[in-house]
Amino acid sequence: MRITAAVVPELHADFRVEEVELDDPHPGEALIRIVACGVCHTDDITRHGDLPFPPPGVLGHEGAGVVEAVGDGVTNVTPGDHVVIGWPFCGECRNCLDGQPRYCFQIGPLVAGGGRPDGSTALARPDGSPLHSHFFGQSAFGTHAIVGANALVPVAQSLPLDLLGPLACGVGTGAGAIFNVLRPELGSSVVVYGAGSVGLAAVMAARCSGATTIIAVDLQPGRLKLASELGATHTVDAREDPVAAVKEICGGLADFSLECTGSIEVLRQAADSVGMRGTCALIGGAPAKAEFTLDHVSTLWGKRIVGILGGEGRSVQLIPGLIELWQQGRFPFDRLISTFPLEQINDAFAAAHEGGVLKPVLKMD
Ligand SMILES: NC(=O)c1ccc[n+]([C@@H]2O[C@H](COP(=O)([O-])OP(=O)(O)OC[C@H]3O[C@@H](n4cnc5c(N)ncnc54)[C@H](O)[C@@H]3O)[C@@H](O)[C@H]2O)c1
Ligand SMILES: [Zn+2]
Ligand SMILES: [Zn+2]
């Protein structure tokens, strides 16, 4: 079928909104009419080559919409269902069977392979030349997408689909890091480096936990102000010495830190912010082939450094849970969102880059 999608024509290029051809769903897949798709920093670093997804192709991995058709063997959704598109997974490897599909052994090809596991793609230009598809199993910067049905999370028809896509990646990543991995105990301290949508979701989630000291660190005063409104008990201007500030606020080192900027320099600050038996979570997406160094002794003394993909856990648990917290007024993630029409996709990325907008969401109609 003919659809409209934002194509990345080549590495580093602007998005180009084009008419393209979309395949029918293969077995195990569903055709989704995309209502809206969030813009994640990971789309941007992929456009610039830090994930191996090959251009030309369509990015977008925070889609939400309506099921229009399903391929053979799909039983978890039917046409008409409203869905958020979660992360892809194979369902058969050891980690999937262990209930940890974020660490599916196939996660690399499933998120950035550029097509289906059999090598086919779901998208082509009208002249028949293939476009890479299935970015994070979805490629949702368009009016429609073909997705692996096992990643779909059905939601109530009464919910606003134009808000929900970011729960699948950026917002779910920050919140899931707190709820699924760090699980701060009563009276603990949490330092969040980077008050973008990922970091602020972590702040909101920490506010729902027993953590009593929640520190947000960022370069942008506006984001620090919002962090305070969303639950940070303290904010730190990153231009100061943030580790010294953390020590002063906590009266020593913190229990938990989250690196949500993608900067290796900040990662070191986050690691240095936690002490013995403290945990530092790596979340930000750094440039391809980035490496980091740590202080040996202070790490050896019982410090944990843990990488976290997509907030861990399972989309079918994380997304409905966050929706319920939002409905109860305890997780106001809608405050992060600004909507743009698909045609303004380049403006949406620029606005996020400049910092004026936290979480752009592209609306398809
Ligand atoms: N691990 C995962 O599964 C996963 C999922 C989604 C996003 N990500 C990554 O998480 C990161 C955050 O995503 P986002 O959408 O919130 O991005 P964002 O750009 O909106 O937020 C990053 C924030 O970091 C701040 N920052 C930059 N330099 C800083 C410094 N030196 N000290 C403190 N703060 C600084 C920026 O001002 C900004 O507010 C990105 O790198 C993204 O690629 C990872
Ligand atoms: Zn798997
Ligand atoms: Zn993302």
Side-chain angles (χ1 to χ4, degrees):
M1 68 185 282
R2 189 59 62 92
I3 69 161
T4 304
V7 173
V8 179
E10 58 193 27
L11 222 52
H12 309 299
D14 277 356
F15 293 91
R16 220 161 52 201
V17 177
E18 297 180 21
E19 304 277 288
V20 300
E21 279 296 321
L22 184 68
D23 210 356
D24 292 330
H26 282 197
E29 291 184 333
L31 168 66
I32 309 298
R33 176 172 65 80
I34 302 293
V35 170
C37 182
V39 164
C40 175
H41 192 72
T42 304
D43 296 302
D44 209 29
I45 66 174
T46 304
R47 181 165 62 124
H48 294 295
D50 291 318
L51 282 188
F53 184 85
V58 174
L59 301 174
H61 62 287
E62 293 185 351
V66 181
V67 178
E68 289 218 325
V70 297
D72 286 346
V74 172
T75 54
N76 62 326
V77 290
T78 52
D81 283 355
H82 287 201
V83 290
V84 178
I85 311 172
W87 278 42
F89 59 98
C90 82
E92 293 169 0
C93 72
R94 190 182 71 203
N95 286 347
C96 281
L97 295 174
D98 269 355
Q100 291 288 355
R102 294 291 191 267
Y103 305 115
C104 173
F105 289 179
Q106 301 302 323
I107 196 70
L110 285 173
V111 302
R116 299 186 176 93
D118 68 8
S120 64
T121 92
L123 289 163
R125 287 219 165 92
D127 67 6
S129 58
L131 290 168
H132 289 107
S133 68
H134 286 74
F135 181 60
F136 278 72
Q138 48 178 296
S139 291
F141 285 159
T143 54
H144 298 77
I146 293 288
V147 311
N150 67 351
L152 295 173
V153 179
V155 296
Q157 309 241 347
S158 55
L159 292 167
L161 280 172
D162 50 353
L163 288 182
L164 303 184
L167 295 175
C169 187
V171 171
T173 289
I178 294 287
F179 290 130
N180 290 332
V181 186
L182 301 181
R183 303 177 187 227
E185 61 266 30
L186 182 61
S188 59
S189 48
V190 176
V191 190
V192 179
Y193 280 90
S197 55
V198 173
L200 289 173
V203 166
M204 286 186 276
R207 173 69 178 271
C208 293
S209 79
T212 46
T213 303
I214 304 170
I215 307 171
V217 186
D218 204 291
L219 296 162
Q220 300 183 46
R223 293 193 170 192
L224 292 176
K225 181 168 175 288
L226 184 57
S228 295
E229 292 170 18
L230 295 175
T233 58
H234 301 76
T235 60
V236 173
D237 180 338
R239 288 176 197 83
E240 299 167 18
D241 178 347
V243 178
V246 166
K247 281 185 187 157
E248 193 178 322
I249 292 165
C250 298
L253 289 164
D255 299 309
F256 302 98
S257 65
L258 298 88
E259 198 301 296
C260 305
T261 74
S263 151
I264 295 299
E265 185 194 348
V266 176
L267 168 51
R268 179 60 193 265
Q269 293 170 344
D272 289 346
S273 296
V274 296
M276 282 193 273
R277 302 184 64 222
T279 303
C280 168
L282 268 64
I283 295 172
K289 299 200 166 79
E291 297 186 349
F292 62 90
T293 57
L294 296 172
D295 172 65
H296 179 262
V297 164
S298 64
T299 308
L300 181 69
W301 290 3
K303 191 181 291 192
R304 286 162 217 266
I305 310 285
V306 55
I308 304 176
L309 281 183
E312 269 189 37
R314 295 167 300 127
S315 301
V316 288
Q317 166 243 356
L318 186 59
I319 292 170
L322 294 178
I323 290 172
E324 278 201 55
L325 286 177
W326 171 66
Q327 289 174 314
Q328 294 169 4
R330 299 162 70 196
F331 188 75
F333 77 97
D334 54 307
R335 292 191 58 190
L336 310 181
I337 289 175
S338 308
T339 56
F340 292 76
L342 177 64
E343 289 67 30
Q344 289 176 18
I345 182 169
N346 290 305
D347 299 333
F349 274 79
H353 196 67
E354 285 154 14
V357 165
L358 268 155
K359 172 57 77 177
V361 169
L362 300 170
K363 290 180 77 165
M364 301 307 160
D365 47 17

